[in-house]
Amino acid sequence: MLVVFYSETGNVAEFVEKTGLESLEVISGSETTDEKFVVVVPTTGDGDVPDAILDFLEAHADQVVGVAASGNMGWEDTYCFAADVISEQYNVPTLLKFEDEGTDEDTATFKEAVAAL
């Protein structure tokens, strides 16, 4: 399963790299794929989904099958809120919410969730 990701500070990129799964980094939102994918994103601002991911998902709405998000627990109410937004908008499950670049346990949990799709 392809992992599509956006990484603003490097945390999400580091997490995705640790999974060892095939991946596609979204930078502009104009990237393309013909594969089904899970998306991994940071939560920015007040719980916002990065614009490049919104653009990418708009063009690939029928291909997304799950979402995971990175966040910082210090933001309490908006912790990993980007996953909630994408999950609701595209009717896909939230596979994982993790802090910063995630732990080894987070990586294992994510890989199991992806394998189960």
Side-chain angles (χ1 to χ4, degrees), residues 5-7 10-17 40-42 70 98 100:
F5 73 97
Y6 175 88
S7 188
N11 286 335
V12 171
E14 187 173 333
F15 174 81
V16 171
E17 184 177 321
V40 183
V41 296
S70 174
F98 59 95
D100 299 328

Side-chain angles (χ1 to χ4, degrees), residues 6-83:
Y6 175 88
S7 188
E8 192 167 294
T9 64
N11 286 335
V12 171
E14 187 173 333
F15 174 81
V16 171
E17 184 177 321
K18 289 190 300 186
T19 70
L21 298 171
E22 178 186 2
S23 63
L24 169 67
E25 183 173 12
V26 170
I27 297 170
S28 67
S30 63
E31 295 80 3
T32 62
T33 183
D34 294 330
E35 297 179 54
K36 297 275 186 191
F37 62 87
V38 296
V39 62
V40 183
V41 296
T43 299
T44 62
D46 292 322
D48 302 322
V49 178
D51 288 339
I53 285 292
L54 290 174
D55 292 343
F56 183 85
L57 288 173
E58 185 175 316
H60 298 86
D62 60 337
Q63 294 165 262
V64 61
V65 297
V67 61
S70 174
N72 183 305
M73 289 185 190
W75 294 104
E76 298 176 9
D77 292 342
T78 59
Y79 173 70
C80 295
F81 192 68

Side-chain angles (χ1 to χ4, degrees), residues 86-108:
I86 292 170
S87 177
E88 184 175 318
Q89 185 169 351
Y90 293 95
N91 195 30
V92 296
T94 298
L95 306 176
L96 180 69
K97 292 180 178 183
F98 59 95
E99 188 164 21
D100 299 328
E101 72 278 354
T103 64
D104 290 342
E105 184 178 328
D106 292 331
T107 303

